[in-house]
Amino acid sequence: MKKIPLTLGFLVLIGLFVTADLYLNKLNPEVALSDFKKVTTGEVEAEVKEEGFIDSAFKLEQVFSKYTVKSQTQSSQLFDNIDLSSLGNVKIYRHKLKKGASNVVLYEILGPKGQGAITYLQLKLQFVAQIDGTNETINEVENYGDNSLFYNDENHSNTAFLLMQTGDHLYGFQFNKKNPETGEDSIVYQEVQEMIKLLSPSEETSNS
């Protein structure tokens, strides 16, 4: 007899997730993300001022000042593999950056204001639904921002894929673990850690 209440509770929980997802996707139903639409930094700043979306990262220009921006595109995919086109309440910008021998792809994921944790959950559920669980896995960690996970792809074992949420802002980092020329540990990880510091709110900003 105890199985009936447990089953009902499980069905209610599923119903709440479905309702929340439908609500969030209706926040901006007119947004249609195009694959690899070329944009510039100025265009990104202008486009994200649409009502309902958070502003572009307040410290993103500091990251760009340290790297050469090779290309900027608007996309419907994260890490060129996870399709997020069904999420009408997010915008994704892909920035390809270079500093000397260091190459980093920085994804900026913009969602509704005040709902950073929910946007992160939406993305995590897309990972769970789309990865095969064998060659592709996710590993949630507590080292970066409010929430973070590593996406692991055995077909690209030398590439690190990190998704992190800090407040309303979400970022994805794609970079080599090893220097492809020397085989030694890549210094890019330290560069990414510096980016994370620049993109994360300071204690003064967080407490204000």
Side-chain angles (χ1 to χ4, degrees):
M1 296 296 293
K2 292 183 178 180
K3 291 184 178 180
I4 294 177
L6 288 174
T7 303
L8 289 174
F10 183 69
L11 290 174
V12 169
L13 185 61
I14 292 176
L16 289 173
F17 273 113
V18 170
T19 302
D21 185 63
L22 289 173
Y23 169 75
L24 289 171
N25 278 295
K26 286 181 179 178
L27 287 178
N28 276 286
E30 76 283 358
V31 177
L33 301 180
S34 58
D35 281 320
F36 302 109
K37 170 189 172 185
K38 290 185 178 180
V39 294
T40 65
T41 304
E43 288 172 336
V44 171
E45 292 172 353
E47 289 184 13
V48 298
K49 292 186 181 300
E50 295 179 16
E51 183 178 357
F53 282 94
I54 61 172
D55 291 335
S56 185
F58 56 92
K59 292 186 178 179
L60 197 58
E61 67 277 2
Q62 294 184 28
V63 173
F64 289 157
S65 71
K66 296 176 181 292
Y67 282 76
T68 300
V69 180
K70 305 300 290 185
S71 67
Q72 293 176 288
T73 55
Q74 183 181 353
S75 178
S76 62
Q77 292 186 334
L78 182 59
F79 303 140
D80 298 334
N81 193 33
I82 304 300
D83 182 14
L84 301 178
S85 59
S86 63
L87 302 181
N89 63 319
V90 298
K91 283 177 176 281
I92 305 167
Y93 295 96
R94 184 181 187 273
H95 310 283
K96 189 173 182 179
L97 312 177
K98 185 175 180 63
K99 178 183 178 184
S102 303
N103 293 281
V104 178
V105 178
L106 169 61
Y107 290 86
E108 186 182 10
I109 302 104
L110 306 180
K113 295 179 180 179
Q115 298 184 23
I118 296 177
T119 302
Y120 173 83
L121 175 61
Q122 283 188 298
L123 267 62
K124 185 176 77 171
L125 291 175
Q126 289 298 317
F127 275 94
V128 172
Q130 294 183 41
I131 63 176
D132 61 23
T134 302
N135 295 319
E136 300 170 289
T137 58
I138 60 171
N139 177 31
E140 282 204 271
V141 293
E142 299 179 352
N143 309 56
Y144 311 98
D146 300 313
N147 290 290
S148 55
L149 62 82
F150 278 101
Y151 162 62
N152 307 301
D153 184 353
E154 288 188 4
N155 294 321
H156 299 89
S157 58
N158 189 42
T159 305
F161 304 94
L162 169 65
L163 172 68
M164 65 165 284
Q165 173 229 338
T166 175
D168 277 353
H169 295 91
L170 280 81
Y171 306 102
F173 299 90
Q174 181 176 330
F175 56 95
N176 285 338
K177 300 176 184 177
K178 301 280 186 180
N179 187 314
E181 296 179 356
T182 65
E184 299 177 351
D185 288 343
S186 172
I187 65 167
V188 181
Y189 180 59
Q190 286 81 14
E191 301 282 356
V192 168
Q193 288 182 311
E194 180 63 24
M195 284 188 190
I196 290 173
K197 289 180 182 179
L198 290 172
L199 293 169
S200 298
S202 64
E203 291 186 5
E204 291 182 2
T205 303
S206 300
N207 295 330
S208 60

